[in-house]
mmCIF file of all heavy atoms in Angstrom:
data_model
loop_
_atom_site.group_PDB
_atom_site.id
_atom_site.type_symbol
_atom_site.label_atom_id
_atom_site.label_comp_id
_atom_site.label_asym_id
_atom_site.label_seq_id
_atom_site.Cartn_x
_atom_site.Cartn_y
_atom_site.Cartn_z
ATOM 1 N N ILE A 142 -4.632 62.280 -59.939
ATOM 2 C CA ILE A 142 -3.318 62.136 -60.583
ATOM 3 C C ILE A 142 -2.740 60.730 -60.429
ATOM 4 O O ILE A 142 -2.243 60.142 -61.390
ATOM 5 C CB ILE A 142 -2.317 63.168 -60.013
ATOM 6 C CG1 ILE A 142 -2.719 64.576 -60.431
ATOM 7 C CG2 ILE A 142 -0.894 62.859 -60.479
ATOM 8 C CD1 ILE A 142 -1.881 65.662 -59.783
ATOM 9 N N HIS A 143 -2.787 60.197 -59.218
ATOM 10 C CA HIS A 143 -2.031 58.986 -58.908
ATOM 11 C C HIS A 143 -2.841 57.697 -58.884
ATOM 12 O O HIS A 143 -2.263 56.621 -58.957
ATOM 13 C CB HIS A 143 -1.332 59.135 -57.551
ATOM 14 C CG HIS A 143 -0.398 60.292 -57.483
ATOM 15 N ND1 HIS A 143 0.808 60.325 -58.154
ATOM 16 C CD2 HIS A 143 -0.501 61.478 -56.830
ATOM 17 C CE1 HIS A 143 1.408 61.468 -57.916
ATOM 18 N NE2 HIS A 143 0.647 62.187 -57.107
ATOM 19 N N ALA A 144 -4.165 57.785 -58.726
ATOM 20 C CA ALA A 144 -4.906 56.568 -58.406
ATOM 21 C C ALA A 144 -6.108 56.304 -59.296
ATOM 22 O O ALA A 144 -6.930 55.462 -58.967
ATOM 23 C CB ALA A 144 -5.363 56.629 -56.951
ATOM 24 N N ASP A 145 -6.242 57.011 -60.379
ATOM 25 C CA ASP A 145 -7.387 56.812 -61.270
ATOM 26 C C ASP A 145 -8.713 56.962 -60.521
ATOM 27 O O ASP A 145 -9.669 56.246 -60.759
ATOM 28 C CB ASP A 145 -7.308 55.457 -61.978
ATOM 29 C CG ASP A 145 -8.218 55.406 -63.196
ATOM 30 O OD1 ASP A 145 -8.485 56.475 -63.779
ATOM 31 O OD2 ASP A 145 -8.676 54.315 -63.555
ATOM 32 N N GLY A 146 -8.720 57.907 -59.578
ATOM 33 C CA GLY A 146 -9.957 58.230 -58.873
ATOM 34 C C GLY A 146 -10.150 57.472 -57.587
ATOM 35 O O GLY A 146 -9.271 56.772 -57.102
ATOM 36 N N GLY A 147 -11.334 57.658 -57.034
ATOM 37 C CA GLY A 147 -11.677 57.025 -55.761
ATOM 38 C C GLY A 147 -12.950 57.623 -55.220
ATOM 39 O O GLY A 147 -13.820 58.065 -55.980
ATOM 40 N N GLN A 148 -13.034 57.693 -53.907
ATOM 41 C CA GLN A 148 -14.235 58.232 -53.270
ATOM 42 C C GLN A 148 -13.848 58.967 -51.990
ATOM 43 O O GLN A 148 -12.983 58.512 -51.248
ATOM 44 C CB GLN A 148 -15.207 57.103 -52.935
ATOM 45 C CG GLN A 148 -16.484 57.579 -52.262
ATOM 46 C CD GLN A 148 -17.519 56.491 -52.194
ATOM 47 O OE1 GLN A 148 -18.077 56.115 -53.207
ATOM 48 N NE2 GLN A 148 -17.776 55.983 -50.993
ATOM 49 N N ALA A 149 -14.516 60.084 -51.762
ATOM 50 C CA ALA A 149 -14.324 60.827 -50.522
ATOM 51 C C ALA A 149 -15.626 60.800 -49.736
ATOM 52 O O ALA A 149 -16.699 61.042 -50.299
ATOM 53 C CB ALA A 149 -13.919 62.268 -50.821
ATOM 54 N N GLU A 150 -15.508 60.486 -48.459
ATOM 55 C CA GLU A 150 -16.655 60.494 -47.562
ATOM 56 C C GLU A 150 -16.384 61.529 -46.483
ATOM 57 O O GLU A 150 -15.312 61.534 -45.868
ATOM 58 C CB GLU A 150 -16.848 59.125 -46.923
ATOM 59 C CG GLU A 150 -17.127 58.031 -47.937
ATOM 60 C CD GLU A 150 -17.141 56.642 -47.318
ATOM 61 O OE1 GLU A 150 -16.934 56.516 -46.089
ATOM 62 O OE2 GLU A 150 -17.347 55.682 -48.071
ATOM 63 N N VAL A 151 -17.366 62.399 -46.268
ATOM 64 C CA VAL A 151 -17.214 63.472 -45.294
ATOM 65 C C VAL A 151 -18.308 63.324 -44.245
ATOM 66 O O VAL A 151 -19.474 63.169 -44.585
ATOM 67 C CB VAL A 151 -17.331 64.858 -45.979
ATOM 68 C CG1 VAL A 151 -17.167 65.971 -44.956
ATOM 69 C CG2 VAL A 151 -16.318 64.995 -47.107
ATOM 70 N N GLU A 152 -17.906 63.364 -42.987
ATOM 71 C CA GLU A 152 -18.869 63.354 -41.881
ATOM 72 C C GLU A 152 -18.684 64.648 -41.097
ATOM 73 O O GLU A 152 -17.581 64.948 -40.630
ATOM 74 C CB GLU A 152 -18.648 62.157 -40.954
ATOM 75 C CG GLU A 152 -19.064 60.852 -41.563
ATOM 76 C CD GLU A 152 -19.059 59.708 -40.540
ATOM 77 O OE1 GLU A 152 -18.968 59.968 -39.330
ATOM 78 O OE2 GLU A 152 -19.141 58.562 -40.993
ATOM 79 N N VAL A 153 -19.774 65.393 -40.991
ATOM 80 C CA VAL A 153 -19.747 66.641 -40.237
ATOM 81 C C VAL A 153 -20.529 66.410 -38.959
ATOM 82 O O VAL A 153 -21.744 66.192 -38.994
ATOM 83 C CB VAL A 153 -20.375 67.803 -41.046
ATOM 84 C CG1 VAL A 153 -20.266 69.103 -40.265
ATOM 85 C CG2 VAL A 153 -19.712 67.927 -42.414
ATOM 86 N N GLY A 154 -19.814 66.434 -37.845
ATOM 87 C CA GLY A 154 -20.450 66.252 -36.547
ATOM 88 C C GLY A 154 -20.501 67.559 -35.788
ATOM 89 O O GLY A 154 -20.138 68.625 -36.308
ATOM 90 N N LEU A 155 -20.923 67.488 -34.576
ATOM 91 C CA LEU A 155 -21.060 68.674 -33.745
ATOM 92 C C LEU A 155 -19.721 69.349 -33.487
ATOM 93 O O LEU A 155 -19.623 70.579 -33.512
ATOM 94 C CB LEU A 155 -21.720 68.292 -32.413
ATOM 95 C CG LEU A 155 -22.090 69.426 -31.483
ATOM 96 C CD1 LEU A 155 -23.055 70.391 -32.175
ATOM 97 C CD2 LEU A 155 -22.718 68.883 -30.214
ATOM 98 N N ASP A 156 -18.670 68.552 -33.272
ATOM 99 C CA ASP A 156 -17.385 69.138 -32.907
ATOM 100 C C ASP A 156 -16.219 68.726 -33.812
ATOM 101 O O ASP A 156 -15.073 69.048 -33.526
ATOM 102 C CB ASP A 156 -17.053 68.800 -31.454
ATOM 103 C CG ASP A 156 -17.016 67.300 -31.186
ATOM 104 O OD1 ASP A 156 -17.276 66.521 -32.122
ATOM 105 O OD2 ASP A 156 -16.727 66.905 -30.051
ATOM 106 N N GLU A 157 -16.521 68.014 -34.920
ATOM 107 C CA GLU A 157 -15.428 67.523 -35.763
ATOM 108 C C GLU A 157 -15.908 67.188 -37.170
ATOM 109 O O GLU A 157 -17.023 66.725 -37.359
ATOM 110 C CB GLU A 157 -14.847 66.270 -35.102
ATOM 111 C CG GLU A 157 -13.636 65.688 -35.749
ATOM 112 C CD GLU A 157 -13.068 64.551 -34.917
ATOM 113 O OE1 GLU A 157 -13.687 63.464 -34.906
ATOM 114 O OE2 GLU A 157 -12.025 64.752 -34.278
ATOM 115 N N ILE A 158 -15.025 67.432 -38.135
ATOM 116 C CA ILE A 158 -15.246 67.006 -39.514
ATOM 117 C C ILE A 158 -14.252 65.879 -39.777
ATOM 118 O O ILE A 158 -13.061 66.008 -39.488
ATOM 119 C CB ILE A 158 -14.992 68.144 -40.520
ATOM 120 C CG1 ILE A 158 -15.952 69.300 -40.280
ATOM 121 C CG2 ILE A 158 -15.110 67.635 -41.963
ATOM 122 C CD1 ILE A 158 -15.608 70.557 -41.068
ATOM 123 N N THR A 159 -14.754 64.771 -40.307
ATOM 124 C CA THR A 159 -13.883 63.658 -40.702
ATOM 125 C C THR A 159 -13.988 63.502 -42.210
ATOM 126 O O THR A 159 -15.091 63.402 -42.751
ATOM 127 C CB THR A 159 -14.308 62.341 -40.012
ATOM 128 O OG1 THR A 159 -14.243 62.529 -38.590
ATOM 129 C CG2 THR A 159 -13.393 61.195 -40.419
ATOM 130 N N ILE A 160 -12.851 63.494 -42.863
ATOM 131 C CA ILE A 160 -12.795 63.289 -44.313
ATOM 132 C C ILE A 160 -11.997 62.015 -44.553
ATOM 133 O O ILE A 160 -10.843 61.903 -44.133
ATOM 134 C CB ILE A 160 -12.127 64.477 -45.039
ATOM 135 C CG1 ILE A 160 -12.848 65.785 -44.708
ATOM 136 C CG2 ILE A 160 -12.092 64.227 -46.549
ATOM 137 C CD1 ILE A 160 -12.117 67.026 -45.197
ATOM 138 N N ARG A 161 -12.636 61.063 -45.233
ATOM 139 C CA ARG A 161 -11.986 59.778 -45.542
ATOM 140 C C ARG A 161 -11.919 59.645 -47.059
ATOM 141 O O ARG A 161 -12.948 59.617 -47.733
ATOM 142 C CB ARG A 161 -12.792 58.627 -44.945
ATOM 143 C CG ARG A 161 -12.167 57.271 -45.146
ATOM 144 C CD ARG A 161 -13.037 56.180 -44.503
ATOM 145 N NE ARG A 161 -12.404 54.883 -44.559
ATOM 146 C CZ ARG A 161 -12.444 54.077 -45.612
ATOM 147 N NH1 ARG A 161 -13.106 54.427 -46.700
ATOM 148 N NH2 ARG A 161 -11.831 52.910 -45.574
ATOM 149 N N MET A 162 -10.702 59.610 -47.594
ATOM 150 C CA MET A 162 -10.490 59.536 -49.036
ATOM 151 C C MET A 162 -9.859 58.199 -49.371
ATOM 152 O O MET A 162 -8.763 57.893 -48.906
ATOM 153 C CB MET A 162 -9.608 60.700 -49.481
ATOM 154 C CG MET A 162 -10.275 62.056 -49.223
ATOM 155 S SD MET A 162 -9.165 63.466 -49.311
ATOM 156 C CE MET A 162 -8.369 63.386 -47.699
ATOM 157 N N GLU A 163 -10.569 57.408 -50.168
ATOM 158 C CA GLU A 163 -10.111 56.053 -50.487
ATOM 159 C C GLU A 163 -9.955 55.885 -51.989
ATOM 160 O O GLU A 163 -10.828 56.278 -52.756
ATOM 161 C CB GLU A 163 -11.111 55.018 -49.966
ATOM 162 C CG GLU A 163 -10.697 53.592 -50.258
ATOM 163 C CD GLU A 163 -11.620 52.558 -49.635
ATOM 164 O OE1 GLU A 163 -12.645 52.950 -49.043
ATOM 165 O OE2 GLU A 163 -11.314 51.367 -49.751
ATOM 166 N N ASP A 164 -8.837 55.290 -52.376
ATOM 167 C CA ASP A 164 -8.632 54.979 -53.787
ATOM 168 C C ASP A 164 -8.203 53.533 -53.929
ATOM 169 O O ASP A 164 -7.926 52.863 -52.944
ATOM 170 C CB ASP A 164 -7.592 55.930 -54.417
ATOM 171 C CG ASP A 164 -6.180 55.720 -53.885
ATOM 172 O OD1 ASP A 164 -5.667 54.578 -53.944
ATOM 173 O OD2 ASP A 164 -5.563 56.693 -53.417
ATOM 174 N N HIS A 165 -8.184 53.082 -55.145
ATOM 175 C CA HIS A 165 -7.730 51.720 -55.446
ATOM 176 C C HIS A 165 -6.552 51.795 -56.412
ATOM 177 O O HIS A 165 -6.446 51.020 -57.343
ATOM 178 C CB HIS A 165 -8.877 50.888 -56.022
ATOM 179 C CG HIS A 165 -10.046 50.807 -55.092
ATOM 180 N ND1 HIS A 165 -10.011 50.066 -53.933
ATOM 181 C CD2 HIS A 165 -11.253 51.398 -55.120
ATOM 182 C CE1 HIS A 165 -11.164 50.203 -53.300
ATOM 183 N NE2 HIS A 165 -11.924 51.006 -53.996
ATOM 184 N N GLY A 166 -5.694 52.765 -56.132
ATOM 185 C CA GLY A 166 -4.536 53.000 -56.983
ATOM 186 C C GLY A 166 -3.361 52.122 -56.621
ATOM 187 O O GLY A 166 -3.518 51.072 -55.997
ATOM 188 N N PRO A 167 -2.164 52.574 -56.964
ATOM 189 C CA PRO A 167 -0.970 51.756 -56.784
ATOM 190 C C PRO A 167 -0.454 51.689 -55.352
ATOM 191 O O PRO A 167 0.450 50.914 -55.070
ATOM 192 C CB PRO A 167 0.055 52.443 -57.689
ATOM 193 C CG PRO A 167 -0.370 53.880 -57.684
ATOM 194 C CD PRO A 167 -1.882 53.836 -57.650
ATOM 195 N N GLY A 168 -1.019 52.478 -54.446
ATOM 196 C CA GLY A 168 -0.490 52.534 -53.087
ATOM 197 C C GLY A 168 0.746 53.421 -53.040
ATOM 198 O O GLY A 168 1.259 53.867 -54.064
ATOM 199 N N ILE A 169 1.199 53.692 -51.832
ATOM 200 C CA ILE A 169 2.363 54.561 -51.633
ATOM 201 C C ILE A 169 3.506 53.701 -51.110
ATOM 202 O O ILE A 169 3.452 53.226 -49.967
ATOM 203 C CB ILE A 169 2.041 55.690 -50.634
ATOM 204 C CG1 ILE A 169 0.843 56.506 -51.120
ATOM 205 C CG2 ILE A 169 3.267 56.594 -50.441
ATOM 206 C CD1 ILE A 169 0.308 57.493 -50.093
ATOM 207 N N PRO A 170 4.548 53.484 -51.916
ATOM 208 C CA PRO A 170 5.648 52.615 -51.494
ATOM 209 C C PRO A 170 6.419 53.126 -50.270
ATOM 210 O O PRO A 170 6.867 52.349 -49.453
ATOM 211 C CB PRO A 170 6.573 52.565 -52.708
ATOM 212 C CG PRO A 170 5.767 53.042 -53.852
ATOM 213 C CD PRO A 170 4.700 53.931 -53.291
ATOM 214 N N ASP A 171 6.571 54.461 -50.152
ATOM 215 C CA ASP A 171 7.351 55.036 -49.059
ATOM 216 C C ASP A 171 6.606 56.257 -48.525
ATOM 217 O O ASP A 171 6.763 57.368 -49.043
ATOM 218 C CB ASP A 171 8.746 55.419 -49.558
ATOM 219 C CG ASP A 171 9.673 55.897 -48.452
ATOM 220 O OD1 ASP A 171 9.190 56.300 -47.370
ATOM 221 O OD2 ASP A 171 10.901 55.880 -48.678
ATOM 222 N N VAL A 172 5.795 56.063 -47.495
ATOM 223 C CA VAL A 172 4.968 57.149 -46.943
ATOM 224 C C VAL A 172 5.843 58.280 -46.409
ATOM 225 O O VAL A 172 5.530 59.456 -46.614
ATOM 226 C CB VAL A 172 4.012 56.622 -45.849
ATOM 227 C CG1 VAL A 172 3.295 57.765 -45.158
ATOM 228 C CG2 VAL A 172 3.008 55.646 -46.449
ATOM 229 N N ASN A 173 6.950 57.954 -45.748
ATOM 230 C CA ASN A 173 7.820 59.010 -45.225
ATOM 231 C C ASN A 173 8.337 59.900 -46.341
ATOM 232 O O ASN A 173 8.370 61.130 -46.211
ATOM 233 C CB ASN A 173 8.987 58.414 -44.428
ATOM 234 C CG ASN A 173 8.530 57.809 -43.119
ATOM 235 O OD1 ASN A 173 7.544 58.257 -42.526
ATOM 236 N ND2 ASN A 173 9.227 56.784 -42.664
ATOM 237 N N LYS A 174 8.739 59.301 -47.440
ATOM 238 C CA LYS A 174 9.224 60.078 -48.592
ATOM 239 C C LYS A 174 8.081 60.920 -49.174
ATOM 240 O O LYS A 174 8.265 62.089 -49.511
ATOM 241 C CB LYS A 174 9.791 59.128 -49.656
ATOM 242 C CG LYS A 174 10.480 59.821 -50.789
ATOM 243 C CD LYS A 174 11.836 60.294 -50.346
ATOM 244 C CE LYS A 174 12.619 60.835 -51.514
ATOM 245 N NZ LYS A 174 13.777 61.617 -51.073
ATOM 246 N N ALA A 175 6.890 60.320 -49.287
ATOM 247 C CA ALA A 175 5.735 61.032 -49.836
ATOM 248 C C ALA A 175 5.329 62.222 -48.961
ATOM 249 O O ALA A 175 4.718 63.167 -49.459
ATOM 250 C CB ALA A 175 4.557 60.070 -49.989
ATOM 251 N N MET A 176 5.680 62.196 -47.691
ATOM 252 C CA MET A 176 5.357 63.298 -46.777
ATOM 253 C C MET A 176 6.360 64.449 -46.866
ATOM 254 O O MET A 176 6.138 65.508 -46.295
ATOM 255 C CB MET A 176 5.284 62.790 -45.335
ATOM 256 C CG MET A 176 4.100 61.896 -45.045
ATOM 257 S SD MET A 176 2.491 62.681 -45.328
ATOM 258 C CE MET A 176 2.545 64.022 -44.151
ATOM 259 N N GLU A 177 7.441 64.263 -47.589
ATOM 260 C CA GLU A 177 8.437 65.328 -47.746
ATOM 261 C C GLU A 177 7.921 66.386 -48.721
ATOM 262 O O GLU A 177 7.481 66.059 -49.830
ATOM 263 C CB GLU A 177 9.752 64.762 -48.279
ATOM 264 C CG GLU A 177 10.483 63.868 -47.314
ATOM 265 C CD GLU A 177 11.766 63.287 -47.901
ATOM 266 O OE1 GLU A 177 12.218 63.750 -48.981
ATOM 267 O OE2 GLU A 177 12.307 62.353 -47.283
ATOM 268 N N GLU A 178 7.996 67.641 -48.316
ATOM 269 C CA GLU A 178 7.569 68.723 -49.199
ATOM 270 C C GLU A 178 8.415 68.715 -50.467
ATOM 271 O O GLU A 178 9.631 68.641 -50.406
ATOM 272 C CB GLU A 178 7.681 70.070 -48.488
ATOM 273 C CG GLU A 178 6.684 70.223 -47.372
ATOM 274 C CD GLU A 178 6.673 71.618 -46.764
ATOM 275 O OE1 GLU A 178 7.303 72.541 -47.315
ATOM 276 O OE2 GLU A 178 6.015 71.777 -45.723
ATOM 277 N N GLY A 179 7.747 68.761 -51.601
ATOM 278 C CA GLY A 179 8.430 68.803 -52.887
ATOM 279 C C GLY A 179 8.616 67.452 -53.548
ATOM 280 O O GLY A 179 8.917 67.385 -54.739
ATOM 281 N N PHE A 180 8.443 66.360 -52.814
ATOM 282 C CA PHE A 180 8.572 65.036 -53.427
ATOM 283 C C PHE A 180 7.296 64.718 -54.198
ATOM 284 O O PHE A 180 6.193 64.851 -53.679
ATOM 285 C CB PHE A 180 8.805 63.951 -52.372
ATOM 286 C CG PHE A 180 8.839 62.568 -52.963
ATOM 287 C CD1 PHE A 180 9.967 62.106 -53.620
ATOM 288 C CD2 PHE A 180 7.726 61.742 -52.911
ATOM 289 C CE1 PHE A 180 9.998 60.839 -54.188
ATOM 290 C CE2 PHE A 180 7.745 60.475 -53.474
ATOM 291 C CZ PHE A 180 8.884 60.029 -54.117
ATOM 292 N N SER A 181 7.445 64.308 -55.449
ATOM 293 C CA SER A 181 6.276 64.004 -56.270
ATOM 294 C C SER A 181 6.603 62.922 -57.283
ATOM 295 O O SER A 181 7.709 62.869 -57.810
ATOM 296 C CB SER A 181 5.815 65.261 -57.023
ATOM 297 O OG SER A 181 4.721 64.960 -57.858
#
């Protein structure tokens, strides 16, 4: 929706899954606001 795509990398280890999602979109101007439920 926001970044015209990107790439997700998933590492599954013995005790943890790490998911790294990277895009080259516009960035997030206000992360605190973006973390509010319902803000879009």
Side-chain angles (χ1 to χ4, degrees):
I142 292 173
H143 301 289
D145 198 27
Q148 180 169 289
E150 298 173 0
V151 180
E152 288 190 13
V153 183
L155 187 59
D156 58 359
E157 185 174 73
I158 298 170
T159 301
I160 304 170
R161 183 179 186 277
M162 297 165 280
E163 180 175 5
D164 68 55
H165 302 288
I169 303 170
D171 186 340
V172 173
N173 290 330
K174 188 76 173 165
M176 290 300 298
E177 292 178 12
E178 291 187 10
F180 176 78
S181 178

